Amino acid sequence: MQTIKITTPSKCYPVHIGENALTQLVPLLQTMKPSPKNLLIITDDNVGQLYLKDVEKLLEGHYSYKTVQLKAGDSEKSFENYYFCQSFALENGLDRTSVILALGGGMIGDIAGFVAGTYMRGIRFIQIPTTILAHDSAVGGKTGINHPEGKNMIGVFHQPEAVIYSTDLLGTLPENEVRSGFAEVVKHSLIADKNFYLWLRENVHTFHTFSQDQLLKSLTRGIQIKNEVVTQDEREMGVRAYLNFGHTLGHAIEAELLFKGITHGEAVALGMLFALSLQEETQQLGKDLKKWFKKLGYPELPNHLTAPSLIGRMKKDKKATKGNINMVLLKDIGVPYLSSIDTNELESKLNEFLQEG
Ligand SMILES: NC(=O)c1ccc[n+]([C@@H]2O[C@H](COP(=O)([O-])OP(=O)(O)OC[C@H]3O[C@@H](n4cnc5c(N)ncnc54)[C@H](O)[C@@H]3O)[C@@H](O)[C@H]2O)c1
Ligand SMILES: [Zn+2]
């Protein structure tokens, strides 16, 4: 097991990562001051069915706990579920010493973190990520829920006390979720570390032969990169925006497809390809990435999506300004920059991108 130190201006905390990292849970809780009076586990029904018993077994005899099991799926990152969790916490006597355990992927991490960040003006929480994607979402302190007007529109910055990343829990992930999380690993490599990108490109040919060692290296380096960015800019006033590489179009695709039939990372993968197609200096890299993504089973853009509707969505992005859409582009691998692009120009480029398929 390894420990990565996350060092944001507001808080430092460990990420314990490796096989059986889950066994660190009780020792970690025991070091917390004040000692938690009780715990609230928030999970979803897929993860709950697979791993809730393991967590409960560890806590048995040490801590009293209650569990909220939400339905799985990003639409559950809702105001209704947020309200339900708050009511449940109040009814079950959680106080300011209590600790919330977020057991699940990014959906659970985001909503449970938001519940923790706002319950009694903020209580402690621990991230127990169970997806590859959550190497991204469990670190950095962004928490929140969706609104019918847009994803992640309501939330707070609230850092966890610790992240316990037990890689043995990842073996049950469906392949499209592996692809989803891996796209964020690739994103981290592209915005920050050419050697890491080249290593991934060289070593990952199919997810069936993705070894524990490769997985651990991918997650560890991804988390380190996220940490480097978040340390510089916890509240996204500047460089943190680079983490949105691929996300402007990615979010628009997810929204246009009503969050069905494509995972977050698969949409981000398409968004990265589009971003790389916009500048001559990255077009070759884009072509190479496209070939690799195809081999790894990433989906193509569904052909019923149109440029005007996607651009309409992109205009609603939190980072859009009047007449322009802000996108993260690369000068080269590891050299991201923010570019403000005229909406009409972007629409014609997107049209070309859609036609290329
Ligand atoms: N806060 C942040 O900085 C940040 C960053 C990136 C993404 N996000 C958010 O993260 C969410 C996406 O995260 P995600 O991809 O982990 O989604 P998710 O939590 O919805 O998990 C994906 C699916 O996998 C299932 N699952 C989870 N772990 C499993 C396991 N070990 N075995 C089998 N099935 C398992 C879940 O039940 C779900 O059906 C989005 O809401 C996104 O907005 C947040
Ligand atoms: Zn993402």
Side-chain angles (χ1 to χ4, degrees):
M1 205 193 58
Q2 298 178 30
T3 300
I4 306 167
K5 262 207 186 129
I6 305 298
T7 48
T8 72
S10 71
K11 192 174 208 164
C12 296
Y13 54 93
V15 177
H16 300 301
I17 179 168
E19 268 187 270
N20 302 317
L22 199 55
T23 55
Q24 295 304 303
L25 179 60
V26 169
L28 183 94
L29 286 164
Q30 284 167 339
T31 63
M32 286 172 78
K33 288 199 174 58
S35 176
K37 174 186 154 198
N38 53 12
L39 311 172
L40 173 63
I41 305 170
I42 302 181
T43 191
D44 72 27
D45 49 12
N46 290 337
V47 180
Q49 209 172 7
L50 290 162
Y51 302 115
L52 188 57
K53 278 215 170 64
D54 297 335
V55 175
E56 289 176 341
K57 219 188 280 167
L58 291 170
L59 297 175
E60 224 62 75
H62 295 284
Y63 291 96
S64 70
Y65 60 85
K66 294 279 175 189
T67 303
V68 169
Q69 191 166 295
L70 303 175
K71 283 191 199 140
D74 214 66
S75 57
E76 301 302 315
K77 220 172 85 177
S78 64
F79 191 80
E80 289 74 16
N81 280 333
Y82 167 73
Y83 183 73
F84 177 83
C85 291
Q86 295 286 4
S87 306
F88 187 90
L90 287 167
E91 285 155 15
N92 285 284
L94 262 76
D95 66 14
R96 303 216 65 237
T97 71
S98 302
V99 173
I100 291 179
L101 306 181
L103 173 66
M107 186 284 275
I108 287 297
D110 276 12
I111 190 169
F114 184 45
V115 172
T118 48
Y119 184 73
M120 296 189 171
R121 299 204 178 84
I123 64 169
R124 298 167 296 178
F125 81 118
I126 294 174
Q127 292 270 19
I128 309 176
T130 63
T131 62
I132 294 178
L133 187 128
H135 86 277
D136 184 6
S137 59
V139 171
K142 275 192 184 178
T143 73
I145 54 174
N146 301 328
H147 185 279
E149 284 294 313
K151 252 179 81 71
N152 301 327
M153 283 296 166
I154 300 162
V156 289
F157 287 96
H158 186 52
Q159 302 285 352
E161 296 303 303
V163 180
I164 295 183
Y165 209 162
S166 219
T167 50
D168 48 307
L169 309 188
L170 301 174
T172 46
L173 275 176
E175 191 168 329
N176 62 339
E177 298 298 344
V178 174
R179 265 198 300 273
S180 182
F182 188 73
E184 301 276 11
V185 174
V186 173
K187 175 196 80 179
H188 284 133
S189 74
L190 284 171
I191 62 168
D193 185 345
K194 193 168 191 165
N195 284 336
F196 180 37
Y197 174 78
L198 295 174
W199 178 83
L200 291 166
R201 182 74 183 87
E202 188 124 308
N203 286 284
V204 184
H205 304 293
T206 89
F207 292 122
H208 302 289
T209 54
F210 202 29
S211 71
Q212 269 286 327
D213 277 357
Q214 288 174 330
L215 178 65
L216 191 63
K217 176 165 173 172
S218 302
L219 297 176
T220 307
R221 188 67 196 119
I223 290 169
Q224 283 165 344
I225 291 170
K226 175 123 190 202
N227 180 41
E228 284 156 22
V229 175
V230 174
T231 300
Q232 291 174 56
D233 179 20
E234 188 176 15
R235 290 185 168 251
E236 196 161 334
M237 311 302 277
V239 296
R240 187 164 181 163
Y242 297 156
L243 296 169
N244 293 319
F245 179 53
H247 281 60
T248 317
L249 178 61
H251 281 152
I253 294 169
E254 284 185 282
E256 276 297 281
L257 296 175
L258 307 173
F259 299 94
K260 290 191 182 80
I262 194 159
T263 61
H264 173 70
E266 288 169 339
V268 169
L270 290 163
M272 292 193 285
L273 294 180
F274 177 55
L276 293 174
S277 76
L278 292 175
Q279 298 292 334
E280 218 181 307
E281 61 259 44
T282 52
Q283 279 166 358
Q284 195 48 45
L285 171 64
K287 281 182 189 150
D288 182 58
L289 188 64
K290 188 173 173 180
K291 240 194 274 164
W292 186 33
F293 276 162
K294 194 168 180 190
K295 215 163 123 193
L296 292 171
Y298 283 84
E300 290 178 2
L301 253 178
N303 52 18
H304 64 276
L305 294 184
T306 65
S309 59
L310 288 166
I311 292 286
R313 296 276 182 183
M314 287 160 88
K315 279 194 211 158
K316 285 194 190 157
D317 189 275
K318 277 180 286 203
K319 286 123 202 141
T321 49
K322 208 167 173 277
N324 282 296
I325 290 170
N326 291 320
M327 282 182 63
V328 181
L329 305 180
L330 302 184
K331 284 201 169 68
D332 190 4
I333 301 175
V335 194
Y337 66 103
L338 208 57
S339 175
S340 176
I341 307 171
D342 174 76
T343 314
N344 295 328
E345 188 190 330
L346 201 65
E347 188 170 323
S348 82
K349 298 259 180 160
L350 186 54
N351 246 327
E352 282 170 33
F353 183 74
L354 290 172
Q355 272 156 24
E356 278 166 22

